[in-house]
Coordinates of all heavy atoms in Angstrom, one line a residue:
M62 N -25.3 56.6 -21.1 CA -25.2 55.8 -22.4 C -24.8 54.2 -21.9 O -24.2 54.2 -20.9 CB -24.0 56.4 -23.2 CG -24.1 55.8 -24.7 SD -22.6 56.1 -25.7 CE -22.6 57.5 -26.2
S63 N -25.5 53.4 -22.7 CA -25.4 52.0 -22.3 C -24.0 51.6 -22.6 O -23.3 52.1 -23.4 CB -26.4 51.2 -23.0 OG -26.1 51.0 -24.4
V64 N -23.6 50.4 -22.0 CA -22.2 49.8 -22.2 C -22.1 49.4 -23.7 O -21.0 49.6 -24.3 CB -22.1 48.5 -21.3 CG1 -20.8 47.9 -21.6 CG2 -22.1 49.1 -19.8
F65 N -23.1 48.9 -24.3 CA -23.0 48.4 -25.6 C -22.8 49.5 -26.6 O -21.9 49.5 -27.5 CB -24.4 47.7 -26.0 CG -24.3 47.2 -27.4 CD1 -23.5 46.1 -27.7 CD2 -25.0 47.7 -28.4 CE1 -23.4 45.5 -29.0 CE2 -25.1 47.1 -29.7 CZ -24.1 46.1 -29.9
R66 N -23.4 50.6 -26.3 CA -23.3 51.9 -27.1 C -21.8 52.5 -26.9 O -21.2 52.9 -27.9 CB -24.3 52.9 -26.9 CG -25.6 52.6 -27.5 CD -26.7 53.5 -27.2 NE -26.2 54.8 -27.8 CZ -26.9 56.0 -27.6 NH1 -27.9 56.1 -26.8 NH2 -26.5 57.0 -28.2
E67 N -21.3 52.3 -25.7 CA -20.0 52.8 -25.5 C -19.0 51.9 -26.1 O -17.9 52.5 -26.7 CB -19.6 52.7 -23.9 CG -20.4 53.8 -23.1 CD -19.8 55.0 -23.1 OE1 -18.5 55.2 -23.5 OE2 -20.6 56.1 -22.6
I68 N -19.1 50.7 -26.2 CA -18.2 49.7 -27.0 C -18.3 50.0 -28.5 O -17.2 50.1 -29.1 CB -18.6 48.2 -26.6 CG1 -18.3 47.8 -25.2 CG2 -17.9 47.3 -27.5 CD1 -18.8 46.6 -24.6
L69 N -19.5 50.2 -28.9 CA -19.6 50.6 -30.3 C -19.1 52.0 -30.7 O -18.5 52.1 -31.8 CB -21.1 50.5 -30.7 CG -21.7 49.2 -30.9 CD1 -23.2 49.3 -31.3 CD2 -21.0 48.3 -31.9
A70 N -19.1 52.8 -29.8 CA -18.3 54.2 -30.0 C -16.9 54.1 -29.8 O -16.2 54.8 -30.6 CB -19.0 55.2 -29.1
S71 N -16.4 53.4 -29.0 CA -14.9 53.4 -28.7 C -14.2 52.5 -29.6 O -13.0 52.6 -29.9 CB -14.7 53.0 -27.3 OG -15.1 51.8 -26.8
G72 N -14.7 51.3 -30.2 CA -14.0 50.4 -30.9 C -13.4 51.0 -32.2 O -12.2 50.9 -32.4
P73 N -14.3 51.7 -33.0 CA -13.7 52.3 -34.2 C -12.6 53.4 -33.9 O -11.7 53.5 -34.7 CB -15.0 52.9 -34.9 CG -16.1 52.0 -34.4 CD -15.7 51.7 -33.0
G74 N -12.8 54.1 -32.8 CA -11.8 55.1 -32.5 C -10.5 54.5 -32.2 O -9.4 55.0 -32.7
C75 N -10.4 53.3 -31.5 CA -9.3 52.7 -31.2 C -8.6 52.1 -32.5 O -7.4 52.1 -32.7 CB -9.5 51.5 -30.2 SG -9.9 52.3 -28.5
A76 N -9.5 51.5 -33.3 CA -9.1 51.1 -34.7 C -8.5 52.2 -35.6 O -7.4 51.8 -36.2 CB -10.2 50.4 -35.4
I77 N -9.0 53.4 -35.6 CA -8.4 54.3 -36.3 C -7.0 54.8 -35.8 O -6.1 54.9 -36.7 CB -9.3 55.6 -36.4 CG1 -10.6 55.3 -37.2 CG2 -8.6 56.8 -36.9 CD1 -11.7 56.4 -37.1
A78 N -7.0 54.8 -34.5 CA -5.6 55.1 -33.9 C -4.5 54.0 -34.2 O -3.3 54.4 -34.5 CB -5.8 55.3 -32.3
N79 N -4.9 52.8 -34.0 CA -4.1 51.7 -34.4 C -3.6 51.7 -35.8 O -2.4 51.4 -36.2 CB -4.6 50.5 -33.9 CG -4.3 50.1 -32.4 OD1 -3.5 50.8 -31.8 ND2 -4.9 49.1 -32.0
G80 N -4.5 52.0 -36.6 CA -4.4 52.0 -38.1 C -3.3 53.1 -38.6 O -2.5 52.9 -39.3
L81 N -3.5 54.3 -37.9 CA -2.6 55.3 -38.1 C -1.2 55.0 -37.6 O -0.1 55.5 -38.1 CB -3.1 56.6 -37.6 CG -4.2 57.2 -38.2 CD1 -4.7 58.4 -37.4 CD2 -4.0 57.6 -39.6
L82 N -1.0 54.3 -36.5 CA 0.2 54.0 -35.9 C 0.9 52.6 -36.4 O 1.8 52.1 -35.9 CB 0.2 54.0 -34.5 CG -0.3 55.3 -33.9 CD1 -0.5 55.3 -32.3 CD2 0.8 56.4 -34.2
N83 N 0.3 51.9 -37.3 CA 0.6 50.5 -37.7 C 2.0 50.5 -38.3 O 2.7 49.5 -38.1 CB -0.5 49.9 -38.6 CG -0.2 48.5 -38.8 OD1 -0.1 47.7 -37.8 ND2 0.0 48.0 -40.0
G84 N 2.5 51.4 -39.0 CA 3.8 51.6 -39.6 C 4.9 51.6 -38.5 O 5.8 50.8 -38.6
F85 N 4.7 52.2 -37.3 CA 5.6 52.0 -36.3 C 5.7 50.8 -35.7 O 6.7 50.2 -35.2 CB 5.3 53.2 -35.2 CG 5.5 54.5 -35.6 CD1 4.3 55.3 -36.0 CD2 6.8 55.0 -35.9 CE1 4.5 56.6 -36.4 CE2 6.9 56.3 -36.2 CZ 5.9 57.1 -36.6
E86 N 4.5 50.1 -35.5 CA 4.4 48.8 -35.0 C 5.1 47.7 -36.1 O 5.9 46.9 -35.5 CB 3.0 48.3 -34.9 CG 2.7 47.0 -34.3 CD 3.0 47.0 -32.7 OE1 3.1 48.0 -32.1 OE2 3.4 45.8 -32.2
T87 N 5.0 48.0 -37.3 CA 5.7 47.2 -38.2 C 7.1 47.1 -38.0 O 8.0 46.3 -38.0 CB 5.4 47.5 -39.6 OG1 4.0 47.3 -39.8 CG2 6.0 46.7 -40.7
V88 N 7.7 48.4 -38.0 CA 9.2 48.7 -37.8 C 9.7 48.2 -36.4 O 10.7 47.5 -36.4 CB 9.4 50.1 -37.9 CG1 10.9 50.5 -37.6 CG2 9.2 50.7 -39.3
K89 N 8.8 48.2 -35.4 CA 9.2 47.7 -34.1 C 9.4 46.2 -34.1 O 10.4 45.7 -33.7 CB 8.1 48.0 -33.0 CG 8.5 47.4 -31.7 CD 7.2 47.5 -30.8 CE 6.4 46.3 -31.2 NZ 5.5 45.8 -30.2
V90 N 8.5 45.6 -34.8 CA 8.6 44.0 -34.9 C 9.8 43.7 -35.8 O 10.6 42.8 -35.4 CB 7.3 43.5 -35.5 CG1 7.5 42.1 -35.9 CG2 6.2 43.6 -34.4
K91 N 10.1 44.4 -36.9 CA 11.3 44.1 -37.7 C 12.6 44.3 -36.9 O 13.5 43.7 -37.0 CB 11.3 44.8 -39.0 CG 10.2 44.5 -39.9 CD 10.1 45.1 -41.3 CE 8.9 44.6 -42.0 NZ 9.4 44.0 -43.2
L92 N 12.6 45.4 -36.0 CA 13.8 45.7 -35.2 C 13.9 44.6 -34.2 O 15.1 44.2 -33.8 CB 13.6 47.1 -34.6 CG 14.1 48.2 -35.5 CD1 13.7 49.3 -34.8 CD2 15.5 48.1 -35.9
Q93 N 12.8 44.0 -33.6 CA 13.0 43.0 -32.7 C 13.5 41.7 -33.4 O 14.1 40.9 -32.7 CB 11.6 42.7 -32.0 CG 11.1 43.8 -31.1 CD 9.7 43.6 -30.6 OE1 8.9 42.8 -31.2 NE2 9.5 44.1 -29.4
L94 N 13.3 41.5 -34.6 CA 13.7 40.2 -35.2 C 15.0 40.5 -35.9 O 15.6 39.5 -36.5 CB 12.6 40.0 -36.4 CG 11.3 39.5 -35.8 CD1 10.3 39.2 -37.1 CD2 11.4 38.2 -34.9
H95 N 15.5 41.6 -35.8 CA 16.9 41.9 -36.4 C 17.9 41.1 -35.8 O 18.1 41.1 -34.6 CB 17.2 43.5 -36.3 CG 18.5 43.8 -36.8 ND1 18.7 44.0 -38.3 CD2 19.6 44.2 -36.4 CE1 19.9 44.4 -38.5 NE2 20.5 44.5 -37.2
N96 N 18.7 40.4 -36.7 CA 19.9 39.7 -36.2 C 21.2 40.4 -36.6 O 21.6 40.5 -37.7 CB 19.9 38.3 -36.8 CG 21.0 37.4 -36.3 OD1 21.8 37.7 -35.6 ND2 21.0 36.1 -36.8
P97 N 22.0 40.8 -35.5 CA 23.1 41.7 -36.0 C 24.2 40.8 -36.6 O 25.1 41.4 -37.3 CB 23.7 42.1 -34.5 CG 22.5 41.9 -33.5 CD 21.5 40.8 -34.1
K98 N 24.2 39.6 -36.4 CA 25.2 38.6 -37.1 C 24.9 38.6 -38.7 O 25.9 38.3 -39.4 CB 25.2 37.2 -36.5 CG 25.6 37.2 -35.1 CD 25.6 35.8 -34.5 CE 26.0 35.8 -33.0 NZ 25.9 34.6 -32.4
R99 N 23.6 38.6 -39.0 CA 23.3 38.7 -40.4 C 22.3 39.9 -40.6 O 21.0 39.7 -40.7 CB 22.7 37.4 -40.9 CG 23.5 36.2 -40.8 CD 22.9 35.0 -41.3 NE 21.7 34.8 -40.5 CZ 20.7 33.9 -40.9 NH1 20.8 33.1 -41.9 NH2 19.7 33.7 -40.1
P100 N 23.0 41.1 -40.8 CA 22.1 42.3 -40.7 C 21.3 42.4 -42.1 O 21.8 42.0 -43.2 CB 23.0 43.4 -40.7 CG 24.3 42.8 -41.0 CD 24.3 41.4 -40.7
V101 N 20.0 42.6 -42.0 CA 19.2 42.9 -43.2 C 19.0 44.4 -43.4 O 19.0 44.8 -44.6 CB 17.8 42.4 -42.9 CG1 16.9 42.6 -44.1 CG2 17.9 40.9 -42.6
Y102 N 19.2 45.3 -42.4 CA 19.0 46.7 -42.4 C 20.3 47.4 -42.3 O 21.1 47.0 -41.4 CB 18.0 47.3 -41.4 CG 16.7 46.4 -41.5 CD1 16.2 45.5 -40.6 CD2 15.9 46.7 -42.6 CE1 15.0 44.9 -40.7 CE2 14.6 46.0 -42.7 CZ 14.3 45.1 -41.8 OH 13.1 44.5 -41.9
H103 N 20.7 48.4 -43.2 CA 21.9 49.0 -43.1 C 22.1 49.9 -41.8 O 23.1 49.9 -41.3 CB 22.0 50.1 -44.4 CG 21.7 49.4 -45.6 ND1 22.5 48.3 -46.2 CD2 20.8 49.6 -46.5 CE1 22.0 48.0 -47.3 NE2 21.0 48.8 -47.5
T104 N 21.1 50.5 -41.5 CA 21.0 51.3 -40.1 C 19.8 50.8 -39.3 O 18.7 51.1 -39.5 CB 20.7 52.8 -40.5 OG1 21.7 53.1 -41.5 CG2 21.1 53.6 -39.3
P105 N 20.2 50.0 -38.2 CA 19.1 49.4 -37.4 C 18.5 50.4 -36.4 O 18.6 50.1 -35.3 CB 19.8 48.1 -36.9 CG 21.2 48.6 -36.7 CD 21.4 49.4 -37.8
T106 N 17.9 51.4 -36.9 CA 17.1 52.5 -36.1 C 15.8 52.7 -36.7 O 15.5 52.1 -37.8 CB 17.8 53.7 -36.2 OG1 17.8 54.3 -37.5 CG2 19.3 53.8 -35.6
M107 N 14.9 53.2 -36.0 CA 13.6 53.4 -36.4 C 13.5 54.1 -37.7 O 12.9 53.7 -38.6 CB 12.7 54.1 -35.3 CG 11.2 54.3 -35.6 SD 10.3 52.8 -35.6 CE 9.9 52.6 -33.8
A108 N 14.2 55.2 -37.9 CA 14.1 56.0 -39.0 C 14.8 55.2 -40.1 O 14.4 55.3 -41.4 CB 15.0 57.3 -38.8
G109 N 16.0 54.6 -39.9 CA 16.8 53.9 -40.9 C 16.1 52.7 -41.6 O 16.0 52.4 -42.7
V110 N 15.3 52.0 -40.6 CA 14.6 50.9 -41.1 C 13.3 51.3 -41.9 O 12.9 50.8 -42.9 CB 14.0 49.8 -39.9 CG1 13.1 48.8 -40.4 CG2 15.3 49.3 -39.3
M111 N 12.7 52.4 -41.4 CA 11.5 52.9 -42.2 C 11.9 53.3 -43.5 O 11.3 53.1 -44.5 CB 11.0 54.1 -41.3 CG 9.7 53.9 -40.7 SD 9.1 55.3 -39.9 CE 8.0 54.6 -38.7
T112 N 13.0 54.1 -43.6 CA 13.5 54.5 -45.0 C 13.8 53.5 -45.9 O 13.5 53.4 -47.1 CB 14.8 55.3 -44.7 OG1 14.4 56.5 -43.8 CG2 15.3 56.0 -46.0
Q113 N 14.5 52.4 -45.4 CA 14.8 51.2 -46.1 C 13.6 50.5 -46.7 O 13.5 50.2 -47.8 CB 15.8 50.4 -45.5 CG 16.4 49.3 -46.3 CD 17.4 48.5 -45.6 OE1 18.1 48.9 -44.6 NE2 17.7 47.2 -46.2
I114 N 12.7 50.3 -45.8 CA 11.4 49.5 -46.2 C 10.7 50.3 -47.2 O 10.2 49.8 -48.1 CB 10.4 49.3 -44.9 CG1 11.2 48.4 -43.9 CG2 9.2 48.8 -45.4 CD1 10.4 48.2 -42.7
I115 N 10.5 51.7 -47.0 CA 9.7 52.4 -48.1 C 10.5 52.4 -49.4 O 9.9 52.3 -50.4 CB 9.5 53.8 -47.6 CG1 8.7 53.9 -46.3 CG2 9.2 54.9 -48.7 CD1 8.6 55.3 -45.7
K116 N 11.8 52.4 -49.4 CA 12.6 52.4 -50.7 C 12.4 51.1 -51.4 O 12.4 50.9 -52.6 CB 14.1 52.6 -50.5 CG 14.4 54.2 -50.2 CD 15.9 54.3 -50.0 CE 16.2 55.9 -49.6 NZ 17.5 55.9 -49.4
E117 N 12.5 50.0 -50.6 CA 12.6 48.7 -51.2 C 11.2 48.0 -51.4 O 11.0 47.3 -52.4 CB 13.4 47.7 -50.3 CG 14.7 48.0 -50.2 CD 15.5 47.2 -49.3 OE1 14.9 46.3 -48.5 OE2 16.7 47.3 -49.0
E118 N 10.2 48.2 -50.5 CA 9.0 47.6 -50.6 C 7.8 48.6 -50.9 O 6.6 48.2 -51.3 CB 8.7 46.8 -49.5 CG 9.6 45.9 -49.1 CD 9.5 45.2 -47.8 OE1 8.2 44.9 -47.5 OE2 10.4 44.8 -47.1
G119 N 8.0 49.9 -50.7 CA 6.9 50.8 -50.8 C 6.3 51.1 -49.6 O 6.3 50.4 -48.5
L120 N 5.7 52.3 -49.5 CA 5.0 52.9 -48.3 C 3.9 51.9 -47.7 O 3.8 51.4 -46.7 CB 4.5 54.3 -48.4 CG 3.8 54.8 -47.3 CD1 4.7 55.0 -46.0 CD2 3.1 56.1 -47.6
V121 N 2.9 51.7 -48.7 CA 1.8 50.8 -48.3 C 2.0 49.3 -48.1 O 1.8 48.7 -47.1 CB 0.6 51.1 -49.3 CG1 -0.6 50.2 -48.9 CG2 0.1 52.5 -49.3
R122 N 2.7 48.7 -49.1 CA 3.0 47.3 -49.2 C 3.9 46.9 -48.0 O 3.9 45.9 -47.4 CB 3.4 47.0 -50.4 CG 3.4 45.4 -50.5 CD 3.6 45.0 -52.0 NE 3.8 43.6 -52.1 CZ 4.0 43.0 -53.1 NH1 4.4 43.6 -54.3 NH2 4.2 41.7 -53.1
G123 N 5.0 47.8 -47.8 CA 6.0 47.4 -46.9 C 5.8 47.9 -45.4 O 6.2 47.3 -44.5
L124 N 5.2 49.0 -45.3 CA 5.1 49.6 -44.0 C 3.7 49.6 -43.3 O 3.6 49.3 -42.2 CB 5.6 51.2 -44.0 CG 6.2 51.8 -42.8 CD1 7.2 51.0 -42.2 CD2 6.6 53.2 -43.1
L125 N 2.7 49.9 -44.2 CA 1.4 50.2 -43.6 C 0.5 48.8 -43.5 O -0.3 48.7 -42.7 CB 0.6 51.3 -44.3 CG 1.3 52.6 -44.2 CD1 0.5 53.7 -45.0 CD2 1.6 53.1 -42.8
A126 N 0.6 48.1 -44.6 CA -0.3 46.9 -44.7 C 0.1 45.7 -43.9 O -0.9 45.1 -43.5 CB -0.3 46.5 -46.1
P127 N 1.4 45.5 -43.6 CA 1.6 44.1 -42.9 C 1.0 44.2 -41.3 O 1.3 45.1 -40.6 CB 3.1 44.1 -42.7 CG 3.7 45.0 -43.9 CD 2.7 46.1 -44.1
G128 N 0.2 43.2 -41.1 CA -0.4 43.0 -39.9 C -1.5 44.0 -39.5 O -2.1 44.0 -38.4
L129 N -2.0 44.8 -40.5 CA -3.0 45.8 -40.4 C -4.4 45.1 -40.0 O -5.1 45.5 -39.0 CB -3.3 46.4 -41.6 CG -4.2 47.7 -41.5 CD1 -3.8 48.7 -40.4 CD2 -4.4 48.4 -42.9
S130 N -4.8 44.0 -40.7 CA -6.0 43.4 -40.3 C -6.0 42.8 -39.0 O -7.1 43.0 -38.2 CB -6.3 42.2 -41.3 OG -5.4 41.3 -41.2
A131 N -4.9 42.2 -38.6 CA -4.9 41.7 -37.1 C -4.9 42.8 -36.1 O -5.6 42.7 -35.0 CB -3.7 40.9 -36.9
S132 N -4.3 43.9 -36.4 CA -4.3 45.0 -35.5 C -5.5 45.7 -35.4 O -5.9 46.1 -34.3 CB -3.2 46.0 -36.1 OG -3.1 47.2 -35.2
L133 N -6.3 45.9 -36.5 CA -7.6 46.5 -36.5 C -8.6 45.6 -35.7 O -9.5 46.0 -34.9 CB -8.1 46.8 -37.9 CG -7.3 47.8 -38.6 CD1 -7.9 48.1 -40.0 CD2 -7.3 49.2 -37.9
T134 N -8.6 44.3 -36.0 CA -9.4 43.3 -35.3 C -9.2 43.4 -33.7 O -10.2 43.5 -33.0 CB -9.3 41.9 -35.8 OG1 -9.5 41.9 -37.1 CG2 -10.2 40.9 -35.1
R135 N -8.0 43.4 -33.3 CA -7.6 43.5 -32.0 C -8.1 44.7 -31.3 O -8.6 44.8 -30.3 CB -6.2 43.2 -31.7 CG -5.7 43.3 -30.2 CD -4.1 43.4 -30.2 NE -3.8 43.7 -29.0 CZ -3.6 44.9 -28.4 NH1 -4.0 46.1 -29.2 NH2 -3.3 45.1 -27.2
S136 N -7.9 45.8 -32.0 CA -8.2 47.1 -31.4 C -9.7 47.3 -31.3 O -10.1 47.9 -30.4 CB -7.5 48.3 -32.2 OG -8.0 48.3 -33.5
V137 N -10.4 46.9 -32.2 CA -11.8 47.0 -32.2 C -12.5 46.2 -31.1 O -13.2 46.7 -30.2 CB -12.6 46.6 -33.5 CG1 -14.0 46.4 -33.3 CG2 -12.4 47.5 -34.6
I138 N -11.9 45.0 -30.8 CA -12.4 44.1 -29.9 C -11.9 44.5 -28.3 O -12.6 44.8 -27.4 CB -12.1 42.7 -30.1 CG1 -12.8 42.2 -31.3 CG2 -12.4 41.8 -28.8 CD1 -12.4 40.8 -31.8
Y139 N -10.4 44.6 -28.3 CA -9.9 44.9 -27.0 C -10.1 46.4 -26.6 O -10.4 46.6 -25.5 CB -8.4 44.5 -27.1 CG -7.6 44.9 -25.9 CD1 -7.8 44.2 -24.7 CD2 -6.7 46.0 -25.9 CE1 -7.2 44.6 -23.5 CE2 -6.2 46.3 -24.7 CZ -6.3 45.6 -23.6 OH -5.6 46.0 -22.4
G140 N -9.9 47.3 -27.5 CA -9.9 48.7 -27.1 C -11.5 49.0 -27.0 O -11.7 49.8 -26.1
G141 N -12.4 48.5 -27.8 CA -13.7 48.7 -27.5 C -14.2 48.3 -26.1 O -14.9 49.0 -25.5
D142 N -13.8 47.1 -25.7 CA -14.2 46.6 -24.5 C -13.5 47.4 -23.4 O -14.2 47.7 -22.3 CB -13.8 45.1 -24.3 CG -14.8 44.3 -25.3 OD1 -15.7 44.6 -25.7 OD2 -14.3 43.0 -25.3
R143 N -12.2 47.6 -23.5 CA -11.5 48.3 -22.4 C -12.1 49.7 -22.1 O -12.4 50.1 -21.1 CB -10.0 48.4 -22.9 CG -9.2 49.0 -21.8 CD -7.7 48.8 -22.2 NE -7.4 49.3 -23.5 CZ -7.2 50.6 -23.9 NH1 -7.0 51.4 -23.1 NH2 -6.9 50.8 -25.3
V144 N -12.3 50.4 -23.3 CA -12.8 51.9 -23.1 C -14.3 51.8 -22.7 O -14.9 52.5 -22.0 CB -12.5 52.7 -24.4 CG1 -13.1 53.9 -24.2 CG2 -11.1 52.7 -24.5
G145 N -15.1 50.8 -23.4 CA -16.5 50.8 -23.2 C -17.0 50.3 -21.9 O -17.9 50.8 -21.4
F146 N -16.2 49.5 -21.2 CA -16.5 49.1 -20.0 C -16.1 50.0 -19.0 O -16.4 49.8 -17.7 CB -16.0 47.6 -19.6 CG -16.8 46.6 -20.2 CD1 -16.3 45.7 -21.1 CD2 -18.3 46.5 -20.0 CE1 -17.0 44.7 -21.7 CE2 -18.9 45.4 -20.6 CZ -18.4 44.5 -21.5
F147 N -15.3 50.9 -19.2 CA -14.8 51.9 -18.2 C -15.8 52.7 -17.7 O -16.6 53.4 -18.4 CB -13.7 52.7 -18.8 CG -13.1 53.9 -17.9 CD1 -12.3 53.4 -16.8 CD2 -13.6 55.1 -18.0 CE1 -11.9 54.3 -15.9 CE2 -13.0 56.1 -17.2 CZ -12.3 55.7 -16.2
S148 N -16.0 52.8 -16.4 CA -17.1 53.7 -15.8 C -16.3 54.7 -14.9 O -15.6 54.4 -13.9 CB -18.0 52.9 -15.0 OG -19.0 53.8 -14.3
P149 N -16.4 56.1 -15.2 CA -15.6 57.0 -14.4 C -16.3 57.2 -13.0 O -15.7 58.1 -12.2 CB -15.7 58.3 -15.3 CG -16.8 58.2 -16.0 CD -17.0 56.6 -16.3
T150 N -17.3 56.6 -12.6 CA -17.9 56.9 -11.3 C -17.3 56.0 -10.2 O -16.8 55.1 -10.4 CB -19.4 56.5 -11.3 OG1 -19.6 55.2 -11.8 CG2 -20.2 57.5 -12.3

């Protein structure tokens, strides 16, 4: 299979994986920005922040949508190239 076909085949696969995991990425960034002196989250853990975001902002709008377009673009380009150029020989 040619390199171009490998890139076209691997890019969407990487995008799907990143899209499914984008909620965890959103929580990770929010935890990194968390200031203990002025807490925004009642329980600053992965589960606690996820629960609070879903209650206050909703699942899609608060957890899944933020940063999704940037994540998908990056994964199609970077993931497609990284996996597409890989040659096991």
Side-chain angles (χ1 to χ4, degrees):
M62 197 190 283
S63 72
V64 172
F65 184 69
R66 287 181 62 192
E67 291 279 344
I68 291 171
L69 287 179
S71 61
C75 291
I77 290 170
N79 276 351
L81 293 173
L82 296 173
N83 193 56
F85 293 106
E86 184 72 23
T87 302
V88 173
K89 180 196 78 158
V90 170
K91 289 186 183 239
L92 281 170
Q93 288 173 339
L94 296 174
H95 179 72
N96 184 357
K98 294 179 183 174
R99 291 186 303 169
V101 177
Y102 304 107
H103 307 300
T104 311
T106 62
M107 184 69 83
V110 172
M111 261 187 197
T112 305
Q113 188 173 341
I114 290 172
I115 291 170
K116 284 180 183 176
E117 293 176 0
E118 301 175 41
L120 177 66
V121 174
R122 189 170 180 187
L124 202 59
L125 300 178
L129 185 62
S130 61
S132 178
L133 294 180
T134 303
R135 177 190 169 276
S136 65
V137 166
I138 294 170
Y139 175 71
D142 289 347
R143 183 173 46 92
V144 176
F146 284 122
F147 177 74
S148 176
T150 56

